[in-house]
């Protein structure tokens, strides 16, 4: 098949960040703008296993889920023309992080704990890590634990109070700047 090169800053992008920051929504729109395929890692695992992420956590456990994530990342980094939206904990695995940073630009999305809390409350039962105890306190604690890891991403954008379209435009500009700088993403 003939390869068609389109003017775009990259053919691979990973979106990371805490749950509820907008990775899926922004990932879909970014993929559409860049004319790339979109994969939400959690949905990919659900299709591969036939189980929801919540059921995997409930019946098999978090450790098994994290191994499934790592296997899926190893698979997906072999593909081309992709925007990959990670689960909130995927990037905390050092091997996942290494593979993704080497593969192409990694973008961390950010929002305040309060905004994340209000967004995740819209989908009760789908966030196994928040199923027990004070959800807002758990969000604050986990976000603080993961912040340094998310900071390792190549690019960063806030989704706080912003429409997805605006964030996507900012990311495309930043991706073009990264490409023009000639710097390797990793």
């Amino acid at each position: 098949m003939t390869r068609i090169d389109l003017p775009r800053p990259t053919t691979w992008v990973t979106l990371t960040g805490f749950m509820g920051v907008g990775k899926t929504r922004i990932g879909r729109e970014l993929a559409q703008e860049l004319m790339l395929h979109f994969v939400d890692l959690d949905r990919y695992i659900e299709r591969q296993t036939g189980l929801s992420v919540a059921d995997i956590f409930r019946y098999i456990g978090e450790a098994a889920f994290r191994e499934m994530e790592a296997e899926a990342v190893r698979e997906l980094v072999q593909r081309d023309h992709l925007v990959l939206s990670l689960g909130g904990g995927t990037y905390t695995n050092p091997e996942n992080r290494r593979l993704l940073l080497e593969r192409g630009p990694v973008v961390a999305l950010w929002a305040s704990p309060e905004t994340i809390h209000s967004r995740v409350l819209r989908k009760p039962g789908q966030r196994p890590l928040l199923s027990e105890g004070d959800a807002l306190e758990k969000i604050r604690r986990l976000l603080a634990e993961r912040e340094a890891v998310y900071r390792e991403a190549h690019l960063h954008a806030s989704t706080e109070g912003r429409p997805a379209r605006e964030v996507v435009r900012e990311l495309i500009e930043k991706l073009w700047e990264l490409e023009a700088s000639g710097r390797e993403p990793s």
Side-chain angles (χ1 to χ4, degrees), residues 7-186:
R8 54 186 161 207
T10 187
T11 58
W12 177 273
V13 180
T14 301
L15 297 178
T16 191
F18 202 75
M19 68 179 84
V21 295
K23 297 180 301 287
T24 300
R25 171 83 185 269
I26 289 169
R28 272 196 188 100
E29 291 191 27
L30 182 62
Q32 186 175 21
E33 287 295 315
L34 295 175
M35 292 177 276
L36 300 173
H37 299 286
F38 173 72
V39 173
D40 177 291
L41 189 64
D42 286 349
R43 301 303 77 78
Y44 181 83
I45 292 168
E46 288 176 342
R47 281 191 305 276
Q48 298 298 313
T49 64
L51 297 169
S52 70
V53 170
D55 284 344
I56 294 169
F57 267 74
R58 184 179 305 116
Y59 298 116
I60 305 171
E62 183 177 358
F65 176 75
R66 297 299 176 198
E67 182 47 45
M68 291 175 197
E69 273 185 328
E71 183 180 332
V73 167
R74 288 189 299 271
E75 248 176 65
L76 291 168
V77 295
Q78 303 303 314
R79 298 191 184 175
D80 290 322
H81 301 94
L82 190 66
V83 173
L84 176 62
S85 172
L86 303 178
T90 309
Y91 200 64
T92 63
N93 174 310
E95 181 62 10
N96 290 345
R97 196 163 56 254
R98 182 189 68 76
L99 289 170
L100 294 163
L101 286 166
E102 288 175 359
R103 181 60 178 95
V106 176
V107 175
L109 298 177
W110 300 88
S112 71
E114 294 75 20
T115 295
I116 291 168
H117 184 252
S118 71
R119 289 175 182 172
V120 300
L121 285 180
R122 295 178 203 154
K123 298 179 183 180
Q126 293 186 7
R127 307 295 183 165
L129 289 177
L130 302 179
S131 61
E132 295 177 17
D134 181 346
L136 181 56
E137 185 51 41
K138 200 174 268 188
I139 289 167
R140 285 185 178 125
R141 183 179 51 77
L142 285 170
L143 190 55
E145 288 172 9
R146 296 175 179 179
E147 181 176 358
V149 169
Y150 293 150
R151 293 272 174 219
E152 292 182 30
H154 300 108
L155 302 171
H156 301 267
S158 171
T159 64
E160 189 78 29
R162 300 173 69 196
R165 169 77 44 228
E166 181 182 311
V167 177
V168 168
R169 277 195 304 269
E170 176 187 342
L171 292 179
I172 290 172
E173 286 176 23
K174 287 181 174 185
L175 288 165
W176 275 114
E177 289 169 10
L178 183 66
E179 194 270 341
S181 73
R183 293 181 294 156
E184 290 291 319
S186 53

